[in-house]
Amino acid sequence: MKKETICVQSGYKGGNGEARVLPIYQSTTYSYDSSEELAKLFDLTKEGHMYSRISNPTVECVEKKVAELESGVGAMMTSSGQSASLISVINITSSGENFICFSNLYGGTTNLFAVTLKKLGIEARFITYDMSDEEIEELIDEKTRLFFGETIANPSLEILDIERYAALAHRHGIPLIVDNTFATPFLCRPFEHGADIVVHSTSKYMDGHAEVVGGMIVDSGTFDWSGYPCLNEPDESYHGVIYTRNFGKAAYITKARTQLMRDLGSTPSPFSAFLLNNGLETLHLRMERHSSNALAVAKHLKEHEKVLWVSYPGLEDDSQHALAMKYLDNGMSSGVVSFGTVNGKEGATRFMDSLKLARICVHVADLRTCVLHPASTTHRQLSDEQLEKAGVKPEFIRFSTGIENIEDIIADIDQALERV
Ligand SMILES: *Cc1c(COP(=O)(O)O)cnc(C)c1O
């Protein structure tokens, strides 16, 4: 099936006389005729649901849909994007080991990696896009376990050269994990370019309605885990299961569920999975509209005398345009546009406060146009000089273009810019 059809049809298939729409299995547990059957589930020798902390039929249907959209062998939904990132890393790293990641990651991921994982003894080594392969390789040693980057970085909108970093990671026998939140599998499928694991915050475009926080981990099934004892040696918590031997291509994602979801319990509710599925059913339509509206907004801003600069990968003269054309379908670059107004921080705040249709939100990437001014919110404590160093200019506005009529969005921008 083509990806638009997968969005609509995949995952749940109702049989004769059954519900046409994905049912919500609001049940913690599942009943069985014999203890022996349940024992097989515990031994992982038979597939089935036993307890909703580990798996649930509603959640499973959505996992199947996302796995299919990404062309992976399996997926696991989590209660948030943060827990997807956490599990994706600690599934194959332990105390005393390290990994490579980019310094332009989402702020929440940066905190998780730089502060919380550090307390667990796992070291994140940060790199930037301007570093050469040789410079990066100096940071890789025998304890380096993975590479981690974002397809379209939030909020810098830099695009990951997936093929380059996948090749670099593979030369050192380690996988590339890609956070594909902003692109979604509709605009980019990182596995086609050599990535090994994909994670998502489904709270953004995949849900798309700003209704439910969630995350997803998808396994390509193509990485060779022979250098990873955690996947090749017996797991004592499962009477000696060896993930690569017992589960083949699905070793990584099976371990994530049966070991880490079991132990950490970052479980999504069946109702959240149902809402996510509703969002996914229109993902293809929304991403097209988000992208065309954002491109129109970016072009309009570029011509405006009150606007200093605009950054949007879909613009032909943008520094990221070549990578956008390579990795994003038809260069469609999702809905987020960054720009700066004249008059610095004050100009930006005035612009934001004057908007009528667009609302000020911490969220991005849903169907209602919203804006955020990092310098007066998420980076509020910093001085102008510190903001420059952090790459957050005082006039920087993150504009998340919704799917309303483009003329209304632009009219709102214009009346607000007049007040700058
Ligand atoms: C929001 C976001 C996250 C975190 O996801 P939550 O669902 O908020 O936990 C991770 N990565 C990116 C790129 C995000 O935008």
Side-chain angles (χ1 to χ4, degrees):
M1 289 192 291
K2 301 274 192 293
K3 58 192 177 172
E4 293 83 354
T5 316
I6 297 172
C7 284
V8 179
Q9 294 274 355
S10 178
Y12 171 70
K13 289 182 187 56
N16 188 38
E18 288 175 358
R20 177 68 172 127
V21 174
L22 173 64
I24 303 172
Y25 284 83
Q26 197 67 54
S27 179
T28 58
T29 193
Y30 307 86
S31 54
Y32 287 92
D33 290 337
S34 74
S35 324
E36 201 201 326
E37 218 177 328
L38 196 53
K40 283 182 185 157
L41 294 180
F42 270 96
D43 279 348
L44 304 178
T45 52
K46 186 178 171 334
E47 275 186 37
H49 304 287
M50 52 180 169
Y51 189 52
S52 284
R53 170 156 30 86
I54 296 158
S55 69
N56 167 282
T58 307
V59 176
E60 184 182 33
C61 286
V62 188
E63 291 168 339
K64 281 190 172 149
K65 179 176 282 190
V66 176
E68 210 173 317
L69 278 171
E70 291 282 10
S71 310
V73 291
M76 182 175 83
M77 188 175 169
T78 55
S79 52
S80 67
Q82 285 298 105
S83 54
S85 301
L86 169 68
I87 292 176
S88 76
V89 171
I90 64 172
N91 200 31
I92 48 171
T93 45
S94 46
S95 175
E97 295 178 333
N98 67 73
F99 65 101
I100 308 285
C101 62
F102 291 91
S103 54
N104 65 2
L105 297 178
Y106 169 69
T109 313
T110 304
N111 283 335
L112 168 66
F113 288 179
V115 181
T116 301
L117 285 186
K118 191 174 168 194
K119 290 184 193 158
L120 301 178
I122 298 167
E123 183 200 351
R125 297 182 173 172
F126 289 90
I127 59 169
T128 50
Y129 285 173
D130 54 12
M131 286 169 73
S132 68
D133 284 10
E134 292 71 31
E135 286 172 309
I136 296 169
E137 281 172 321
E138 278 175 24
L139 298 173
I140 301 177
D141 57 33
E142 73 286 354
K143 297 233 183 269
T144 306
R145 285 324 207 181
L146 61 103
F147 252 75
F148 193 106
E150 280 174 23
T151 320
I152 305 177
N154 174 10
S156 73
L157 307 182
E158 289 169 292
I159 292 178
L160 185 70
D161 191 344
I162 301 172
E163 285 174 15
R164 174 182 163 197
Y165 296 109
L168 180 55
H170 295 164
R171 279 205 296 282
H172 294 271
I174 59 179
L176 173 65
I177 303 182
V178 173
D179 179 336
N180 199 28
T181 298
F182 266 25
T184 81
F186 185 69
L187 298 184
C188 178
R189 284 153 309 283
F191 297 156
E192 290 173 2
H193 304 285
D196 304 288
I197 304 294
V198 158
V199 296
H200 286 284
S201 165
T202 60
S203 326
K204 313 294 164 56
Y205 289 119
M206 286 170 87
D207 160 31
H209 297 70
E211 287 173 350
V212 59
V213 173
M216 195 71 77
I217 306 176
V218 194
D219 185 351
S220 67
T222 53
F223 190 74
D224 172 6
W225 298 109
S226 48
Y228 287 73
C230 61
L231 286 159
N232 295 306
E233 286 174 6
D235 177 355
E236 281 165 30
S237 70
Y238 263 117
H239 345 288
V241 146
I242 298 176
Y243 293 101
T244 47
R245 188 190 64 197
N246 295 40
F247 302 100
K249 284 184 182 311
Y252 174 95
I253 201 72
T254 305
K255 176 177 182 288
R257 182 186 303 282
T258 56
Q259 190 187 71
L260 293 182
M261 188 59 95
R262 178 198 62 184
D263 294 355
L264 302 178
S266 316
T267 311
S269 87
F271 187 58
S272 298
F274 171 82
L275 290 175
L276 173 58
N277 189 59
N278 275 356
L280 289 170
E281 286 173 349
T282 56
L283 179 70
H284 52 304
L285 299 176
R286 290 185 289 103
M287 291 314 286
E288 280 174 6
R289 182 63 69 86
H290 278 295
S291 301
S292 62
N293 275 359
L295 183 59
V297 163
K299 283 183 174 162
H300 183 78
L301 288 170
K302 205 133 190 155
E303 300 303 316
H304 204 289
E305 56 181 17
K306 299 271 180 76
V307 174
L308 282 182
W309 54 270
V310 182
S311 160
Y312 182 67
L315 288 172
E316 270 170 37
D317 57 356
D318 193 84
S319 65
Q320 304 299 302
H321 189 66
L323 287 169
M325 292 308 290
K326 179 168 181 184
Y327 290 111
L328 307 175
D329 282 7
N330 298 317
M332 283 190 284
S333 303
S334 89
V336 184
V337 179
S338 300
F339 71 100
T341 51
V342 296
N343 298 338
K345 190 168 172 173
E346 190 177 334
T349 331
R350 204 168 251 270
F351 169 78
M352 308 258 307
D353 295 351
S354 307
L355 288 165
K356 294 189 170 117
L357 181 92
R359 298 287 291 157
I360 301 170
C361 296
V362 171
H363 199 243
V364 272
D366 74 76
L367 43 74
R368 298 163 200 90
T369 297
C370 62
V371 277
L372 182 75
H373 180 226
S376 66
T377 55
T378 49
H379 294 68
R380 185 174 180 76
Q381 278 74 22
L382 307 189
S383 66
D384 281 7
E385 195 192 331
Q386 287 172 314
L387 286 171
E388 285 290 344
K389 269 194 190 151
V392 177
K393 296 191 175 113
E395 74 278 9
F396 169 32
I397 291 166
R398 188 176 70 176
F399 193 90
S400 176
T401 319
I403 60 171
E404 302 92 342
N405 183 289
I406 186 60
E407 288 172 21
D408 291 332
I409 297 172
I410 287 180
D412 192 33
I413 290 175
D414 282 349
Q415 65 83 20
L417 279 174
E418 252 168 52
R419 287 170 176 77
V420 170

